[in-house]
Each structure stands twice: as C-alpha cells, then as structure tokens.
Amino acid sequence: MLSRAAVGALRTRPALALPSSRIAPVAPTLQWMRLQLRSYASESRPPRNPSSQPVNPKQQPEFDGVSAPERNTTPNSQPGPGASEQSGAKRNAQNESSKDHEEFAGPQSAGNNTNPPTDNHTGAQKPLPDLRQGIPSTFAAEYMKEHAHPKTHDPNNITEDPDQEPSPGPTGREGGELPKSAYETSTDRRRNRVANYSYIAALLFGVLGAVYLGRNWENEEEEKAHADAPSGWGLGLMYNRARARLSGQVGYYTEPTFPKLLPDLDPSFPAPPMTLVLSLEDLLIHSEWTTKHGWRTAKRPGVDYFLRYLSQYYELVIFTSLKSQDADMVVRKLDPFRIVMWPLFREATRYEKGEYIKDLSYLNRDLSKTIIIDTDPSHVKLQPENAIVLPKWKGDPKDKGLVALIPFLEYLAMTPNADVRQALKSFEGKDIPSEFARREAKAREEFNKELAERRAKKPKYSAGGMLMGALGLKPQQTGMTFGDGTTVAQGFEEGKMLSDQFRERGQKQYEALEKEIRENGEKWLKEMAEEEKKAMDEQMKNMKSGVFSFVGGASDKK
C-alpha cells in the first residue's frame, strides 16, 4: 500500500511539457491509480462506523472523487480562470506534505538533498545478533527477568493466572471479608484446645518437678556428699539441690560405672605396693584394616617381657577406652596367663565433651604410688602428673620404646615410699629412657670413685677375719639382705650398685616365672578354661531356677 506522502508527491510533482496529443492518456492512468488506492484502503483499514464523518477531501485529496486529471497535472499554458483552483489544490497538497514530512518542508540546499538521511534515536543501537551459527538462546535473559523479582504464589489462588493473587485484608485471609476463625474447622479448634491444655500441663509438671528435685536431703550422707547444697527452703538452696540431683542422673551415663573400679587391698594377700596402669591401643598392640586381610592386630615387641618382668614390682592394670565386647578377647589373647590383674574398659572411663577420660581417682589406689602410661594426652588430662605419654606405636617390628622404660620403672619400684609424681616431674619435657640412662651413668661414675677410695683406705686382711676363716666361719653381715642371703654391703664390695643388685634379683625371679610357664602353662590354661565353663554353667543354672521359681510362684498364687 502506498503511503500518503508518496501519493502527495505524485500529485505535486509538475508535469512534463509534452505535446497536447500525449497528455490525454494521463487521465485514465490516474483514474486507475485512484481505484487501486481505494481498494488498498478498504482492505487494510477496519470497517468504518456508519455514523462516522465522511472523508474530508482537503485532508486526503487523493480520495477526492471530483478531482480531474487537469487538477493533478501542471498545465502548459498560463494561468487562466481555473488556475487559482488548481494552484489552491497544489498548495494544499504541499502544506499537507510539509506538515507530515520534514523532507517536503521547503527548498533545501544541494548538500542537504544529497546527504543520506539520518535517524535521531534516543538510545544507542544494539549490535545485531550473529545468526550464522543459528538462532541464539534467550533462556538466560528470560530466566533472570523472571527470577529478578520472584512472586510468591498464594495457595488460595486456584486460577491459572498467577497475577490474580488475592490481596490479604487487615482482618482476614481473603481480602478482609471474614475473620480468621471463619476458616477454621472443628478439628483445628480441637487441636488448638488440646495444645493449650498440653502447655498448661507441661508448665505444672515442670514446676512440681522443680519443687520435688529441690527438696531437702533425705539423710546425712547425702547432705555430706553435697556440702555446696545444704538443706533449706530458700530458692537458691532448692536450685542447688535440684542441680545436684540432675547432675547425678546425667552422671549415670558420663561417670564411671562404679565409684571404686578396683577392690580394696587385702592385707592377707601380698600385693605389690605400686600400681602401673597401661593403655591398650597403640601402646601394647596396634590394629589396622586392609582390603586384603581385613582387621589385623600386632603385638608390640617385648610386651611379654615387659608385663612378666614388672609384675613382680607393680599391680598391673590395663585401662582401655574400647568397649568390653571388643577389647576383652584382645586382652585374653595378649595375656593368656593373667599376668595383668585387672582389665578396665570404656565403661570405667569418664565421658566429657566428646572425649573418654581415664580418671585415676576412681581406681581406689594411692595416687602417690600410681603411674599411668598412655599415648593420648586427653585420656590423662585429669592427672597429668601421674602420666607418661609415649608416641603411638604404628606396628614397627624393631621398636624398643616399651622395653626401654623398664630400668626407670624398676628404679621407682626400689623406692616404694617415694612419691612417683615428684620423680615424673623431674623428667618433664625429656625422653625418660635416655635421660635416666644419662643419670645412671653419672651415678655409676661417682659410685666407682667412692668404692676405689674406700678400698684404698681399708686393709686387705684383719686378724679377726683370718681367725674366723681358719675356723670355717663367715663374718656376720649387717644391712638389707635379699632372698638368697646376700646383703647390699656385699654387693657394694663386689662393685655393684643398688640398682644392679635389684636388677639381678628381679631377673632371677623373671627366669623362675618363665620356667613355671614353660612347665605348667598348658595345665594352667586348661584349669582356667574349666573354671570359666563351670562359672557359666552355674550362672545359667541360677538364671533358669529364678525364672521357674517366678512362674511357679505366680501359678501358686492363682
């Protein structure tokens, strides 16, 4: 469809000076153009309202039905009587064109007519997309536009249009027409009522429970055990007593199973005066898991010698943080002849802030004569002055760290009346085996020096000694004696320190124990197995008799 400007340009363009014989065909041509324009206008424009105003020929002269070819062309002759009418129509067309299009506003210069037109856009022109590789995706832009301001969909809107969301009113859920209670069912009301009753019952129960827990102590023993929360009816005293009772209930799960983990010492049973507590994992054994062999447990080199030799000086205790069902079979395999007197498991530890702590105060032993050897500092943080912390053993078959501790532990056993905590403090921050070896070497030098000076001052022979020797009698020796009759003084004369004599005596007892194990070990194992079986049978018998007696008693009552 031709634009109004194009039609106006055709009408205002001056006709060429042609002979009158060639002007005649112009009228049919213009008449055809008018028909075409009318058909285009009728097809493209919407149907007119019959009541609308007719077309103004002055505003749209191209649709003027009375126009003649002479009015659309420029005559060759001078203006005559009809010239004013034609020039008026021409001026109207020019004014119409100049109003709508600036390019027809008036005469322009040659440069303005030849320069290409420029469009004055308010914004910068965006580059066109490159369509050689296909149409680019607009998913990112649409997704960001959609999620830049997300809309919360109201579940009450059941229409398909998400924009038609119900606006909540000030007094109700649906535009404020009804109160909130109008949308509650009888089930909702019943649930709210039950919830309110539950809150009230919980509050009453809490108050009564607090009063019950804060009551006075029932006997003097409880009051003495909780000196910081004496009996009384003050709020502070009641709070302290309730807190003490609650901590006692929680302590059932965090404290050791028994207040005394080891039984009292029997005076009639000769027991070593000192106690040595040993960890199990990564000290005596090392366990590891592989896809090829599964779980495997290795025994540290020198464990048997370490346990059997020190059993004559210490009351041995294995204290592990593993569960009894996991560690009991390992302890039985490690010590089949029960050299270790007491095994303790996780049930005997204290649980605090995610850690299992070995509290020595529950052992029922004198801490001045108790030593614990472990590989984890957190296990012994309550009594660090009684602890020897060693590096973890990773399964090295050439390790000698455990056996190297025997001389130091043996020296502590020589002085049972001394406080082991003071001795351990003197080795704080040092490697105990190497430091003890250095001190022992220094003491040996001083001993040999004093022995040489004493031998130089003492005569080789005396009259009394010669006489008793001639009679076949030995001179009486004073001082401490060992089991074989030798005295410490005799050992000194032979150039042996007290530690050397003590070690020789201990080595003889260890050899005697090894001899007994070799000769009677199998018999001991069989006897222990029979005793365990007998104890299990007796326990099962008592259990069955208790069940049947309960059933029989119930039937008799009926």
Side-chain angles (χ1 to χ4, degrees):
M1 176 179 176
L2 296 178
S3 64
R4 185 185 303 175
V7 176
L10 290 175
R11 294 187 60 186
T12 56
R13 183 175 300 174
L16 298 177
L18 295 177
S20 59
S21 61
R22 301 185 62 181
I23 295 176
V26 175
T29 302
L30 294 178
Q31 188 68 22
W32 177 81
M33 291 179 62
R34 293 192 188 99
L35 295 176
Q36 293 295 326
L37 290 175
R38 291 179 179 177
S39 63
Y40 289 149
S42 62
E43 293 177 0
S44 60
R45 293 185 180 180
R48 294 179 178 269
N49 191 354
S51 61
S52 61
Q53 296 294 330
V55 178
N56 190 357
K58 293 182 179 181
Q59 296 179 357
Q60 296 181 350
E62 64 273 19
F63 298 102
D64 187 4
V66 298
S67 297
E70 293 83 3
R71 299 177 62 181
N72 295 329
T73 57
T74 302
N76 295 332
S77 62
Q78 297 295 329
S84 61
E85 183 180 356
Q86 294 178 1
S87 61
K90 182 177 181 179
R91 284 193 301 270
N92 292 335
Q94 290 179 355
N95 293 335
E96 185 70 20
S97 301
S98 62
K99 290 179 181 179
D100 295 339
H101 302 280
E102 295 181 358
E103 61 269 20
F104 300 107
Q108 301 291 339
S109 62
N112 293 335
N113 292 330
T114 57
N115 289 336
T118 58
D119 296 334
N120 295 328
H121 296 285
T122 57
Q125 179 65 29
K126 296 182 179 179
L128 296 176
D130 187 5
L131 303 179
R132 292 176 295 178
Q133 304 297 332
I135 300 176
S137 174
T138 59
F139 173 76
E142 295 176 358
Y143 180 81
M144 294 303 295
K145 181 179 180 181
E146 179 181 355
H147 291 270
H149 302 285
K151 297 182 179 180
T152 58
H153 181 67
D154 193 338
N156 297 323
N157 182 19
I158 59 175
T159 62
E160 296 182 356
D161 189 2
D163 295 333
Q164 297 180 359
E165 298 287 347
S167 57
T171 59
R173 296 187 299 182
E174 296 293 337
E177 297 178 358
L178 295 176
K180 184 178 179 180
S181 59
Y183 299 95
E184 293 181 352
T185 62
S186 59
T187 304
D188 295 336
R189 297 190 188 95
R190 186 166 54 254
R191 289 176 180 174
N192 294 335
R193 187 164 52 254
V194 171
N196 294 334
Y197 292 157
S198 301
Y199 297 150
I200 296 173
L203 179 61
L204 293 176
F205 180 78
V207 172
L208 294 177
V211 173
Y212 178 75
L213 291 175
R215 69 187 187 280
N216 290 332
W217 302 112
E218 298 177 358
N219 49 51
E220 295 181 358
E221 295 181 358
E222 290 184 354
E223 189 170 359
K224 290 180 180 179
H226 303 88
D228 55 342
S231 298
W233 293 107
L235 293 178
L237 298 176
M238 295 180 65
Y239 173 77
N240 293 335
R241 289 194 297 271
R243 183 178 179 181
R245 286 190 171 95
L246 286 176
S247 62
Q249 295 295 329
V250 176
Y252 177 80
Y253 303 97
T254 59
E255 298 295 327
T257 308
F258 303 101
K260 293 182 180 181
L261 298 177
L262 301 181
D264 296 333
L265 294 175
D266 188 1
S268 61
F269 180 76
M274 304 185 71
T275 304
L276 180 61
V277 183
L278 302 171
S279 179
L280 180 64
E281 59 277 14
D282 296 331
L283 179 69
L284 304 180
I285 63 171
H286 174 70
S287 300
E288 61 182 13
W289 186 89
T290 58
T291 56
K292 183 178 181 180
H293 302 285
W295 279 106
R296 293 192 301 174
T297 301
K299 185 168 62 174
R300 191 166 188 172
V303 168
D304 294 336
Y305 176 70
F306 181 85
L307 296 177
R308 296 174 185 179
Y309 183 80
L310 293 179
S311 62
Q312 57 186 318
Y313 304 129
Y314 291 92
E315 180 186 19
L316 298 180
V317 179
I318 289 182
F319 201 170
T320 176
S321 60
L322 300 177
K323 297 179 181 180
S324 58
Q325 58 265 30
D326 298 332
D328 183 64
M329 297 303 298
V330 177
V331 173
R332 289 173 178 268
K333 190 72 173 179
L334 178 68
D335 182 30
F337 299 105
R338 310 293 174 85
I339 302 298
V340 178
M341 300 184 65
W342 313 108
L344 299 176
F345 307 100
R346 179 179 294 181
E347 293 78 9
T349 61
R350 169 182 287 180
Y351 185 77
E352 183 178 338
K353 295 180 180 180
E355 296 177 344
Y356 294 99
I357 304 173
K358 302 173 183 178
D359 193 352
L360 300 182
S361 62
Y362 284 82
L363 288 180
N364 192 28
R365 294 294 183 268
D366 187 4
L367 293 182
S368 64
K369 298 179 177 58
T370 303
I371 304 172
I372 181 172
I373 303 177
D374 208 300
T375 58
D376 193 346
S378 63
H379 289 171
V380 296
K381 65 181 182 180
L382 294 181
Q383 294 88 17
E385 63 277 2
N386 294 80
I388 299 175
V389 180
L390 297 180
K392 293 183 179 182
W393 179 60
K394 299 298 184 180
D396 183 12
K398 299 181 180 179
D399 177 80
K400 297 181 180 179
L402 192 63
V403 178
L405 277 176
I406 292 179
F408 172 70
L409 298 174
E410 185 182 52
Y411 171 78
L412 293 179
M414 288 172 50
T415 57
N417 296 326
D419 192 343
V420 297
R421 293 172 290 191
Q422 297 179 358
L424 293 176
K425 187 176 182 180
S426 65
F427 288 88
E428 186 176 0
K430 301 177 182 178
D431 182 55
I432 294 180
S434 58
E435 179 64 19
F436 179 78
R438 186 187 67 80
R439 295 182 185 182
E440 189 179 24
K442 185 177 180 181
R444 190 178 300 278
E445 291 179 2
E446 295 179 358
F447 173 78
N448 292 333
K449 185 178 179 181
E450 293 177 359
L451 181 62
E453 293 177 356
R454 187 168 61 252
R455 286 178 178 178
K457 295 179 180 179
K458 183 179 179 180
K460 296 183 179 179
Y461 302 103
S462 62
M466 294 177 63
L467 179 60
M468 294 184 68
L471 297 174
L473 300 176
K474 293 182 179 181
Q476 293 182 355
Q477 301 290 340
T478 59
M480 185 176 66
T481 59
F482 292 104
D484 55 356
T486 59
T487 61
V488 177
Q490 289 179 351
F492 287 159
E493 292 297 329
E494 295 176 1
K496 299 178 182 179
M497 296 175 58
L498 181 60
S499 60
D500 298 334
Q501 301 178 45
F502 200 79
R503 188 171 296 117
E504 288 181 358
R505 176 175 173 270
Q507 194 67 29
K508 290 180 180 179
Q509 292 184 1
Y510 167 73
E511 292 176 356
L513 177 61
E514 284 292 316
K515 183 179 179 181
E516 288 289 334
I517 291 176
R518 287 193 300 268
E519 294 178 354
N520 304 316
E522 295 294 334
K523 183 177 67 175
W524 292 348
L525 294 178
K526 291 181 180 180
E527 291 177 356
M528 286 187 291
E530 291 177 357
E531 290 178 359
E532 288 182 359
K533 185 178 180 181
K534 184 178 179 180
M536 292 180 64
D537 294 341
E538 187 69 20
Q539 184 178 3
M540 185 63 65
K541 182 179 180 181
N542 294 336
M543 186 182 300
K544 291 181 179 179
S545 61
V547 172
F548 287 127
S549 63
F550 174 77
V551 175
S555 61
D556 294 340
K557 291 180 180 180
K558 291 181 181 179

